[in-house]
Amino acid sequence: TGLLNKHLVLFLVGGLFVGLVVHRRDILRSRWPWLGAALALLIWSPNLAWQVANGMPQLEMARSIGGDASENRAMLVPELLLLAGPLLFPVSIVGLWRLERDPTLRPFRTLGTTFLAILAIVFATGGKSYYVAGALPVLMAAGAIAVDRWSVRGRWRLPAFVGAAMGSFALVAVLTLPVVPAAVLAATPIPDIYPENAE
């Protein structure tokens, strides 16, 4: 049903498909993913029919966004680091590494590859960084386990991490949410740092 509201769900579907092909082809040999895909297509069909009947405005919008593809590609990783939290992005990087390399997380390896596939698809299509941001919590969860182990090894580590988390939260909120009044937003550096907020 997410496709009725956001076509960006297709990036997730594509990423999951790649992750399953790389790590869990046994799931794809079952009928259940294909029945689920058929059901999703059936639920999505009224929206798809409307798109076709009206000249595919979603593709027109995608072409318009793709006009800024080189800038979007250049800003993809820096903005993802920002959206992950400027002081917390190492947690995401550790999480991605653990999902791809840590034997204890082998059952979840598909999720790391899914993230990388979504990142590659968005880069190839020249999409915006926030198209990938929805996949960051999976990396954060995997990285949080390592942070938990790290934080108990010294008195200062847990308070330092909590401070970094709170600082990142405050900064990300100001940069990405409508916290600053619209009347003064243009006078701040926010539109230059994260233009989507100004939009």
Side-chain angles (χ1 to χ4, degrees):
T1 59
L3 284 167
L4 294 174
N5 181 50
K6 273 285 188 197
H7 295 150
L8 294 178
V9 173
L10 290 172
F11 287 116
L12 175 61
V13 171
L16 272 172
F17 181 75
V18 171
L20 290 171
V21 166
V22 172
H23 299 290
R24 294 296 310 269
R25 283 188 288 280
D26 59 305
I27 291 176
L28 295 176
R29 285 191 287 272
S30 150
R31 65 182 175 169
W32 296 111
W34 307 107
L35 288 173
L39 181 59
L41 187 59
L42 180 66
I43 293 169
W44 185 36
S45 61
N47 182 288
L48 195 54
W50 184 91
Q51 287 284 329
V52 170
N54 290 277
M56 299 298 286
Q58 186 62 43
L59 289 180
E60 185 180 336
M61 180 65 174
R63 277 192 292 274
S64 174
I65 291 171
D68 297 326
S70 58
E71 182 179 345
N72 290 344
R73 287 184 184 113
M75 294 306 296
L76 182 59
V77 172
E79 286 184 0
L80 270 180
L81 296 179
L82 173 71
L83 293 172
L87 303 174
L88 292 183
F89 74 86
V91 177
S92 298
I93 293 169
V94 168
L96 178 59
W97 183 87
R98 291 192 72 233
L99 285 169
E100 290 294 322
R101 307 299 300 166
D102 189 332
T104 63
L105 292 182
R106 180 175 288 280
F108 306 103
R109 194 152 287 169
T110 299
L111 298 175
T113 303
T114 295
F115 175 84
L116 292 173
I118 294 170
L119 186 65
I121 293 167
V122 171
F123 182 84
T125 58
K128 303 256 186 190
S129 59
Y130 64 84
Y131 296 1
V132 187
L136 283 172
V138 173
L139 305 186
M140 294 289 255
I145 298 166
V147 169
D148 180 58
R149 292 174 184 153
W150 171 84
S151 67
V152 296
R153 292 185 188 146
R155 283 180 144 180
W156 60 271
R157 290 183 178 187
L158 184 59
F161 178 74
V162 170
M166 292 174 64
S168 282
F169 172 77
L171 187 57
V172 170
V174 169
L175 291 175
T176 63
L177 299 176
V179 175
V180 178
V184 298
L185 183 64
T188 71
I190 294 172
D192 293 326
I193 297 170
Y194 192 66
E196 277 72 20
N197 192 315
E199 290 175 10

